[in-house]
């Protein structure tokens, strides 16, 4: 309302509903929920195009026998591809090697990463330069790391054998065939992966240690708890959610290792380093069996999902109830 003359009141018209939510010169106002949905649309389209659709196509192709020639025939075979894959000795051996490789890599990374994280945590701000240097391997591409370690471990002119020979540990520079001996090749190709991604494990565990109240550890020390007892009774139980995330992420990543092994041995010698990723690649590219390769990939994906769910369920339970 407004006052035009003393004692006289003039009532102004009330704004309509359409005009109520409109800012002068700004047009109609979008509600917060619609605005959030609009922001999510690009990410959702990206996920559909590059994640959902390839996964759907992978599962669908696993039920067909597909010609490797573009535009070739597709024959529906049902579960035949899965039966062939599960009965294949090559698939079973590759699955066992993948499990062994993943266990080896993740175990070493966790032990070394935890030791480094505890060291950095004890040093406090004095570890800044050391922490920065420790993270450098994360900046190296896996294929570059694999190529670097191939030259370090190669038999005839590798630096590792040369150093061992000069130290008198080896009688000949070719005594140890790191990448040519089928009995140790899988351990040799795991070394670059451990060197490359221990930094990730350290970074995650160090961040978790920063969230542990110092009063708890100090109280344990006052009560007479030693370093080992403090580690196993206080620090590790409090770090369980962080450990669960780190182990699952690194476990899945290590299980699908491909380029770092391909550049070193290509799956040899005698298929001793042929993991599931390499077997799927060989089946698809070298042997020209897209349907069989799709069945392998689907089983591989299901296995990874089951392992991830079980690992998180055992180590980290929702609602703050950890096992």
């Amino acid at each position: 309302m407004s006052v035009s003359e003393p004692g006289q009141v003039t009532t102004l018209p009330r704004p309509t509903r359409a005009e109520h939510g409109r800012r002068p010169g700004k047009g109609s106002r979008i509600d917060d929920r619609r605005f959030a949905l609009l922001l999510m649309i690009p990410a959702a389209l990206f996920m559909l195009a590059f994640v959902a659709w390839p996964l759907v196509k992978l599962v669908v192709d696993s039920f067909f026998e597909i010609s490797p020639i573009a535009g070739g025939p597709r024959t529906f075979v049902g579960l035949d591809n899965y039966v062939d894959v599960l009965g294949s000795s090559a698939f079973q051996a590759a699955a066992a090697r993948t499990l062994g490789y993943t266990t080896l890599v993740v175990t070493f990374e966790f032990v070394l990463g935890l030791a480094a994280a505890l060291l950095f945590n004890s040093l406090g701000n004095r570890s800044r330069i050391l922490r920065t240097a420790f993270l450098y391997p994360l900046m190296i591409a896996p294929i570059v790391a694999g190529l670097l370690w191939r030259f370090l471990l190669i038999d005839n002119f590798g630096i590792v054998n040369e150093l061992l020979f000069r130290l008198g540990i080896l009688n000949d520079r070719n005594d140890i065939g790191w990448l040519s001996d089928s009995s140790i090749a899988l351990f040799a190709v795991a070394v670059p992966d451990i060197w490359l991604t221990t930094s990730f494990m350290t970074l995650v565990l160090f961040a978790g240690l920063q969230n542990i109240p110092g009063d708890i550890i100090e109280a344990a020390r006052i009560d007479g708890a030693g370093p080992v007892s403090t580690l196993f009774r206080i620090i590790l139980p409090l770090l369980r959610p962080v450990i669960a995330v780190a182990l699952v992420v690194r476990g899945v990543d290590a299980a699908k290792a491909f380029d770092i092994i391909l550049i070193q041995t290509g799956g040899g010698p005698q298929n001793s380093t042929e993991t599931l990723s390499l077997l799927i690649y060989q089946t698809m590219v070298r042997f020209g069996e897209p349907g069989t390769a799709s069945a392998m990939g689907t089983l591989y994906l299901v296995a990874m999902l089951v392992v991830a769910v079980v690992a998180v369920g055992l180590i980290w339970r929702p609602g703050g109830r950890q096992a």
Side-chain angles (χ1 to χ4, degrees):
M1 64 179 64
S2 64
V3 180
S4 57
E5 294 181 5
Q8 184 177 0
V9 178
T10 303
T11 303
L12 297 177
R14 298 179 62 183
T16 63
R17 186 174 181 180
E19 295 172 343
H20 184 71
R22 182 179 299 171
R23 293 180 179 179
K26 297 293 183 180
S28 300
R29 184 179 180 182
I30 302 176
D31 122 323
D32 291 342
R33 182 176 298 179
R34 292 182 180 178
F35 183 68
L37 290 175
L38 287 175
L39 292 179
M40 292 171 62
I41 287 176
L45 292 176
F46 179 87
M47 295 293 288
L48 285 173
F50 296 100
V51 178
W53 166 242
L55 287 178
V56 171
K57 190 161 190 323
L58 174 73
V59 176
V60 171
D61 287 349
S62 67
F63 296 104
F64 289 84
E65 183 179 343
I66 305 171
S67 171
I69 302 174
R74 294 167 58 95
T75 306
F76 181 77
V77 294
L79 297 175
D80 287 355
N81 286 332
Y82 289 96
V83 173
D84 293 340
V85 167
L86 291 174
S88 169
S89 58
F91 180 81
Q92 295 171 6
R97 281 191 292 267
T98 302
L99 180 60
Y101 177 86
T102 303
T103 303
L104 176 67
V105 167
V106 175
T107 300
F108 271 91
E109 287 178 0
F110 175 72
V111 173
L112 296 175
L114 180 61
L118 290 171
L119 174 62
F120 296 155
N121 190 57
S122 64
L123 292 175
N125 292 332
R126 293 175 294 173
S127 66
R128 288 182 178 178
I129 298 177
L130 186 58
R131 273 181 284 165
T132 303
F134 201 76
L135 293 177
Y136 278 152
L138 282 177
M139 306 175 190
I140 301 176
I143 195 167
V144 176
L147 190 61
L148 170 65
W149 279 91
R150 180 183 177 185
F151 284 114
L152 289 174
L153 297 174
I154 201 166
D155 304 347
N156 44 8
F157 58 86
I159 297 176
V160 174
N161 277 5
E162 179 68 25
L163 289 175
L164 294 176
F165 174 74
R166 289 177 179 252
L167 291 173
I169 299 175
L170 297 182
N171 296 323
D172 188 86
R173 290 178 176 86
N174 298 326
D175 279 354
I176 301 179
W178 298 103
L179 300 178
S180 59
D181 187 345
S182 58
S183 62
I184 61 172
L186 190 64
F187 299 95
V189 296
V191 172
D193 201 347
I194 295 170
W195 172 76
L196 193 67
T197 50
T198 296
S199 302
F200 168 80
M201 191 72 73
T202 302
L203 186 64
V204 173
L205 295 177
F206 178 73
L209 288 172
Q210 296 296 297
N211 292 324
I212 297 178
D215 296 342
I216 298 177
I217 298 177
E218 187 63 29
R221 290 174 181 172
I222 293 174
D223 290 340
V228 176
S229 179
T230 302
L231 174 64
F232 286 97
R233 292 178 178 270
I234 296 176
I235 294 178
L236 291 181
L238 292 176
L239 279 180
R240 280 185 179 179
V242 178
I243 293 173
V245 173
L247 291 181
V248 169
V249 171
R250 273 304 301 141
V252 172
D253 189 50
K256 64 183 181 64
F258 172 76
D259 43 6
I260 201 168
I261 300 178
L262 180 66
I263 197 66
Q264 292 183 90
T265 62
Q270 300 174 0
N271 297 329
S272 60
T273 60
E274 187 179 60
T275 58
L276 280 174
S277 296
L278 284 169
L279 179 62
I280 293 171
Y281 168 78
Q282 301 281 13
T283 304
M284 170 73 79
V285 176
R286 179 173 295 182
F287 303 124
E289 299 177 6
T292 304
S294 298
M296 291 181 180
T298 303
L299 291 173
Y300 190 28
L301 175 64
V302 171
M304 289 296 99
L305 289 175
V306 171
V307 169
V309 171
V310 171
V312 173
L314 290 176
I315 303 176
W316 183 15
R317 294 181 182 178
R321 296 175 298 170
Q322 283 108 25

